[in-house]
Amino acid sequence: MPVGEYEVVVIGAGIAGLVTTAILAKQGKKVLLIEKDDRPGGRAAVFHHQGYKLQVGAHLSEDSGSGTTKIMEYLGKTFEPGPENDNMPVYHEGQWLPMHEVIGADKAELKKVIKELVDMDFSALDDYEDLPLRTWILERTQSEGVARLFEFIAMVEGATRNWLDHSASENLFIRKIHLQEKRTTGYSFWPKQGWDGFFKDLEEVIRENGGVIEYNLKATRIVVEDGEVRGVRVQKVGRKAIPNEFVPSTLISAGQVVCTIPVWDVREVLPTDQIPSWYLDKIDLVAKDDHRAIYLGLYAACDKPIYAYSERELAAWFHGPVTGYPGWGFLNSALDASVAPPGKHLWVCGVYVDPEVPKSRTLLEKTFADIEKELEEMFPAFKDRLWVVRHVVFHTTYVANKPGLMGKNRPANEIPGIRGLYFAGDSFQGRAIGTDRAARQGLAAAERVLGFKIPGFENTLRV
């Protein structure tokens, strides 16, 4: 158990928490990072299984240069792209086809929409928080193919299926930043050092600059008195003497706290009696089960690689031939050979399902069985799998990119009337997608604590 007073306590060692802590440590702050689990990474944490490396949910980075990459440069580390996805085949009417053949976007119309998007100021996207992506697109072109292209990428990235659920503001932000920095509508890669290497680099920065990291330490309450943060009450996580043992909490004093706990769990640590009801209402809105990015995933170990067209592809489908659900899959070991033993391969997929599925064991069993049937149909090599690890991304998830749930509609990163409490992580206000969104949130949270914008990040967008 850490002792002594800290200037800042950061709750949660996911990417947002690690980045926040690393920046604050580099800036000379006396900072403590606490994490209830036994390892860093949050949803992207790495686990070893039979010689393979698995994650809570598969992750790629979509940073096109100004986010995670720039932050790691500032911290004296690198975040280099490993092999990129080179192809996005689509399963359509019983066969795999190149995406452009299925989508059929008119090139001239696509260029027209892209030009308007690139020429637009980022701040203008705030006007489209409640607008579906299709509405925005079809106000600028009558090309159904252009709308389908944007919606297809939105489905894969943002865990939304219905056209009404694709957010204009958030998806246009991601397209715009990729177009401006990489001249492509979609960009993703596996980090060269792997996710475990990325977390190790951030841990090194924290410790080398005097920061402290404590795992197996759970925040039970953020302490606020007279409108000011006083610290965090914590309890050690570990084996209990008896199952119903009561483990007391201890106060760690700090004048500032950065909380990266997601909206569906954050109420547990908040002094809700001191927080405005309208702020709690925003938390409750975003935290609804219907607003989660829910998917069922499968890791498959295999002797021969599983793919449709090419080993480095990111394959996707609108409607699985058995379940009717959309999904995606990629050969993890083609992007990072270290995730599988020599001579073996690791493939991963995710299938976006209804919120009711994870709540029923019977429904889960049936849905997983149906998913495996359709994977055997779509990817014949899947039949020869050595084993599978099924995983449910429900509690460890993110907010789906839906209209009315993005940007200013989310809980703000500070609560009026409470000094020294800040929020980061991808379920509070912010922009971008996935791991890059979390890193940018970490930068923004550190700057709030410091009270100034760090030089060198003028072109890094964040809230």
Side-chain angles (χ1 to χ4, degrees):
M1 185 76 72
V3 295
E5 294 185 353
Y6 292 86
E7 292 179 90
V8 190
V9 173
V10 179
I11 304 172
I15 292 173
L18 287 165
V19 167
T20 302
T21 309
I23 292 173
L24 292 176
K26 185 177 175 67
Q27 284 284 331
K29 288 288 184 180
K30 189 177 182 183
V31 58
L32 167 68
L33 173 61
I34 61 173
E35 167 59 51
K36 63 181 175 59
D37 294 324
D38 63 357
R39 68 195 70 204
R43 288 198 313 270
V46 178
F47 297 82
H48 294 264
H49 176 70
Q50 297 187 23
Y52 294 79
K53 295 179 186 178
L54 314 181
Q55 292 178 284
V56 174
H59 286 78
L60 295 168
S61 175
E62 298 192 6
D63 172 41
S64 45
S66 65
T68 312
T69 303
K70 190 76 175 174
I71 291 166
M72 293 302 280
E73 286 176 1
Y74 166 78
L75 294 172
K77 300 289 185 178
T78 59
F79 188 72
E80 296 180 59
E84 299 174 15
N85 298 118
D86 60 3
N87 188 333
M88 186 178 275
V90 179
Y91 193 78
H92 181 67
E93 296 182 349
Q95 61 180 323
W96 288 102
L97 295 170
M99 183 175 67
H100 65 85
E101 288 187 21
V102 178
I103 302 298
D106 180 278
K107 290 185 178 179
E109 290 297 297
L110 177 60
K111 287 181 180 178
K112 182 176 73 175
V113 172
I114 285 175
K115 184 178 188 307
E116 180 170 347
L117 179 58
V118 170
D119 289 346
M120 181 188 301
D121 190 85
F122 276 103
S123 62
L125 298 177
D126 293 345
D127 295 334
Y128 309 124
E129 299 289 12
D130 302 326
L131 196 71
L133 179 61
R134 170 170 285 264
T135 303
W136 188 91
I137 296 290
L138 293 184
E139 286 175 353
R140 288 152 178 82
T141 177
Q142 294 303 305
S143 171
E144 180 67 20
V146 173
R148 282 201 303 266
L149 172 63
F150 276 74
E151 287 184 324
F152 178 68
I153 301 174
M155 179 273 290
V156 174
E157 287 180 341
T160 45
R161 291 181 278 147
N162 189 301
W163 73 269
L164 291 167
D165 287 336
H166 303 310
S167 161
S169 63
E170 197 67 11
N171 286 291
L172 291 173
F173 177 93
I174 301 162
R175 299 288 72 73
K176 179 174 170 60
I177 201 168
H178 284 169
L179 285 163
Q180 291 184 185
E181 295 183 4
K182 287 294 181 181
R183 302 182 65 82
T184 182
T185 52
Y187 178 71
S188 60
F189 63 88
W190 186 268
K192 196 170 184 179
Q193 71 266 54
W195 290 109
D196 49 350
F198 174 57
F199 305 143
K200 182 181 177 183
D201 284 345
L202 287 167
E203 286 180 311
E204 285 180 357
V205 172
I206 293 167
R207 291 184 172 120
E208 287 170 0
N209 286 278
V212 178
I213 308 173
E214 286 287 335
Y215 294 110
N216 297 307
L217 196 62
K218 180 181 179 180
T220 61
R221 182 69 54 179
I222 297 169
V223 179
V224 176
E225 295 176 1
D226 300 324
E228 293 191 8
V229 166
R230 303 298 184 189
V232 181
R233 297 200 72 88
V234 300
Q235 65 179 188
K236 196 71 176 172
V237 177
R239 187 176 180 133
K240 295 182 178 180
I242 53 177
N244 58 340
E245 179 187 4
F246 174 76
V247 180
S249 64
T250 301
L251 176 65
I252 298 176
S253 298
Q256 294 174 299
V257 170
V258 177
C259 179
T260 70
I261 297 174
V263 287
W264 21 85
D265 299 320
V266 74
R267 264 181 169 267
E268 296 177 11
V269 302
L270 292 179
T272 52
D273 60 324
Q274 301 182 58
I275 294 175
S277 60
W278 58 263
Y279 189 90
L280 295 174
D281 288 344
K282 281 202 169 188
I283 289 176
D284 294 340
L285 170 66
V286 178
K288 286 184 176 182
D289 286 350
D290 285 350
H291 299 158
R292 295 175 186 247
I294 300 165
Y295 69 86
L296 303 186
L298 282 163
Y299 276 103
C302 43
D303 285 321
K304 294 181 180 179
I306 298 171
Y307 60 90
Y309 276 179
S310 64
E311 293 192 6
R312 283 168 37 201
E313 71 193 12
L314 175 58
W317 52 95
F318 290 109
H319 306 283
V322 179
T323 66
Y325 290 130
W328 47 265
F330 64 89
L331 187 63
N332 206 161
S333 50
L335 304 180
D336 181 358
S338 75
V339 301
K344 303 294 182 183
H345 302 273
L346 183 67
W347 186 81
V348 63
C349 74
V351 177
Y352 298 129
V353 300
D354 294 323
E356 294 73 25
V357 175
K359 300 175 187 177
S360 164
R361 184 167 187 86
T362 301
L363 195 51
L364 264 176
E365 296 271 9
K366 182 183 184 305
T367 307
F368 268 121
D370 288 344
I371 288 171
E372 292 192 39
K373 287 179 187 175
E374 68 187 9
L375 291 176
E376 289 180 352
E377 181 176 332
M378 293 190 293
F379 300 92
F382 183 76
K383 296 176 183 178
D384 299 324
R385 58 196 179 274
L386 302 174
W387 49 256
V388 297
V389 170
R390 302 165 187 83
H391 51 283
V392 181
V393 178
F394 180 70
H395 295 293
T396 52
T397 188
Y398 56 97
V399 181
N401 286 356
K402 296 182 180 182
L405 299 179
M406 314 312 298
K408 301 300 182 184
N409 290 319
R410 297 215 186 169
N413 305 90
E414 298 181 52
I415 302 175
I418 297 182
R419 292 181 294 279
L421 177 58
Y422 311 97
F423 297 93
D426 58 13
S427 57
F428 287 81
Q429 285 185 9
R431 292 289 192 197
I433 186 77
T435 59
D436 187 47
R437 181 189 183 106
R440 291 170 189 262
Q441 283 275 290
L443 168 65
E447 290 177 331
R448 287 187 176 92
V449 170
L450 295 167
F452 60 85
K453 292 289 183 74
I454 299 173
F457 289 102
E458 290 81 7
N459 296 323
T460 296
L461 292 153
R462 69 274 197 194
V463 171

